[in-house]
Amino acid sequence: MKLKLSRKNELDEPWPTKQQILCIGGANLDRKIKVKGAFQLHTSNPSNARRQSCGGVARNVAENLGRLSQQVSLLTAVGDDAEGEFIVEQSRLYMNVIPLQVKGEPSTGVYTAVLDEHGELVVATAEMEIYDQIRPSAILGNIPLITASRLVFLDTNFPMSVIASTIRICHEHRVPLVISSVSASKMSRLPRNLHGVDWMVCNHMEAEAYLGMQFTDDQQLMDAARIFHQLGVQNVIIFHGVDSVLFASQDGTHAQISIQYISEVIDVTGGEDAFIAGMIYGIIQGYPMEQVCQFGISCAALTIQTDRTVSETLSLNKLHSMFKQLYGIHSQKFMFFKCVYFKEKDT
């Protein structure tokens, strides 16, 4: 099976352009299998539902951004197989997909979840070996793509050497970089030199895993943010459970924002990916950090009220409506230049 590339109009409308957002990282197939009746070990369990969809943090963030009318590209790794073709074909509706070349015939990443009759996770498997085969040369071969981007988002699916190379390139070429971890275990893939990372997004467990410390109160979260600053990160965003988001910037600006209660939560899967997309939208549009986080919360709120990892009804109008619904205000626009915010003058 020959994998079809999705770059559109390569001769007449070359990618990338200065308006694009580039997402680098995972794109895999998500499979959910729901068993019928009580789950039993060591025997066959009949199932009555099976859902297949696209997944992966970078890919999900890219789709959310595409649905928010942003021009976005995805640099990822998929195999030359039916799963890879499915991901590319489904994703190209919202983004430009650029598959990295890998040696041999590795399979596309697949995440399979077995759910019990109530929809709770029983067991899951993750086949993600393809990401481990990506080398820094794959990133170095795409430097023009990175340097021409307005902003780069990077997840931690790739090896440390690849992540470090991406950070270095963005730092050298002054390309704004957002990093989010995939899991606590994959925080170990982050290098200790984080100069070049403009925004770090993680939850408190991921921060604990990376820094080797435990947080029991808000002051310790602020201490963690300061350590990230010392390592080179400009802006730190840490989820404190499901109740609040803390942000802290190198210039001393910091706040803790309560996450608004949503009564009709259907599925929290994909909520953090949606938060990152909403946050990136706020950054690109030039909003200050507090409202950047509020856009992230608003985007996540729209997602968790659906049974999809990426809301199929997400749009800019819905995002702004949710923002106003949650915070009761219209967002105030700021200009963004070299990681500094300036209040936009009235014209």
Side-chain angles (χ1 to χ4, degrees):
M1 181 180 298
K2 189 65 177 176
L3 184 66
K4 298 176 182 178
L5 301 185
S6 64
R7 185 172 294 188
K8 300 178 182 179
N9 303 324
E10 280 193 296
L11 297 179
D12 301 326
E13 190 179 338
W15 292 79
T17 74
K18 275 292 185 183
Q19 297 304 311
Q20 80 152 2
I21 300 165
L22 175 63
C23 295
I24 303 175
N28 48 262
L29 194 69
D30 284 350
R31 288 176 177 152
K32 293 182 181 180
I33 301 171
K34 189 173 182 180
V35 301
K36 183 185 295 184
F39 179 80
Q40 299 181 62
L41 289 172
H42 311 301
T43 187
S44 175
N45 287 266
S47 62
N48 58 5
R50 175 174 174 172
R51 178 180 297 166
Q52 177 173 287
S53 61
C54 297
V57 173
R59 199 219 68 86
N60 290 346
V61 170
E63 181 177 339
N64 276 291
L65 287 167
R67 290 181 181 274
L68 291 175
S69 302
Q70 304 303 299
Q71 183 173 307
V72 58
S73 290
L74 173 67
L75 191 63
T76 189
V78 294
D80 188 10
D81 48 30
E83 290 81 5
E85 185 170 358
F86 176 82
I87 289 171
V88 170
E89 290 302 319
Q90 293 295 311
S91 300
R92 67 187 302 180
L93 300 172
Y94 310 100
M95 69 198 77
N96 177 46
V97 183
I98 306 164
L100 293 172
Q101 298 297 315
V102 293
K103 294 182 179 180
E105 297 182 0
S107 300
T108 297
V110 177
Y111 173 83
T112 303
V114 178
L115 312 176
D116 65 18
E117 56 186 328
H118 305 294
E120 298 293 331
L121 180 67
V122 175
V123 66
T125 63
E127 306 167 50
M128 307 292 176
E129 292 83 0
I130 188 171
Y131 301 135
D132 296 331
Q133 298 194 33
I134 301 301
R135 298 291 178 262
S137 57
I139 297 299
L140 297 174
N142 282 282
I143 288 179
L145 180 70
I146 295 171
T147 58
S149 299
R150 191 173 183 183
L151 178 145
V152 170
F153 168 74
L154 174 68
D155 72 23
T156 55
N157 272 303
F158 292 156
M160 180 188 288
S161 58
V162 177
I163 293 172
S165 294
T166 305
I167 294 172
R168 178 179 56 79
I169 291 167
C170 288
H171 187 42
E172 290 176 353
H173 295 273
R174 298 184 180 181
V175 179
L177 175 64
V178 177
I179 290 184
S180 177
S181 178
V182 174
S183 64
S185 63
K186 289 187 177 179
M187 285 294 281
S188 63
R189 299 186 177 190
L190 287 175
R192 303 308 289 187
N193 181 357
L194 297 176
H195 287 86
V197 179
D198 296 289
W199 292 269
M200 169 68 71
V201 185
C202 61
N203 61 41
H204 72 280
M205 292 183 294
E206 292 165 347
E208 287 177 346
Y210 181 76
L211 299 175
M213 55 190 294
Q214 292 186 331
F215 312 129
T216 58
D217 55 40
D218 295 341
Q219 182 56 51
Q220 289 179 332
L221 279 180
M222 279 299 304
D223 293 340
R226 293 189 185 98
I227 295 174
F228 275 117
H229 291 328
Q230 292 169 5
L231 294 173
V233 180
Q234 293 295 313
N235 302 284
V236 180
I237 297 175
I238 303 176
F239 295 101
H240 193 191
V242 297
D243 300 320
S244 64
V245 175
L246 173 123
F247 75 82
S249 300
Q250 284 274 19
D251 62 6
T253 303
H254 66 275
Q256 193 156 351
I257 304 173
S258 297
I259 296 177
Q260 302 297 318
Y261 174 73
I262 303 296
S263 59
E264 298 180 0
V265 175
I266 295 177
D267 188 345
V268 298
T269 306
E272 189 169 331
D273 300 341
F275 175 92
I276 294 167
M279 181 194 101
I280 290 174
Y281 167 77
I283 292 170
I284 289 295
Q285 296 301 313
Y287 291 100
M289 279 298 295
E290 181 176 6
Q291 292 186 2
V292 162
C293 292
Q294 289 171 342
F295 271 114
I297 294 170
S298 301
C299 196
L302 289 169
T303 299
I304 65 177
Q305 293 181 77
T306 74
D307 63 352
R308 303 290 180 177
T309 304
V310 178
S311 172
E312 295 180 343
T313 62
L314 180 63
S315 68
L316 273 180
N317 285 338
K318 287 200 171 185
L319 178 62
H320 280 270
S321 294
M322 178 58 71
F323 182 99
K324 186 177 181 182
Q325 177 183 326
L326 293 179
Y327 301 103
I329 57 173
H330 288 289
S331 52
Q332 186 173 10
K333 194 75 169 288
F334 279 59
M335 291 171 57
F336 174 72
F337 180 69
K338 292 186 177 180
C339 304
V340 179
Y341 295 99
F342 302 91
K343 187 173 181 182
E344 195 171 63
K345 295 180 180 180
D346 295 331
T347 55

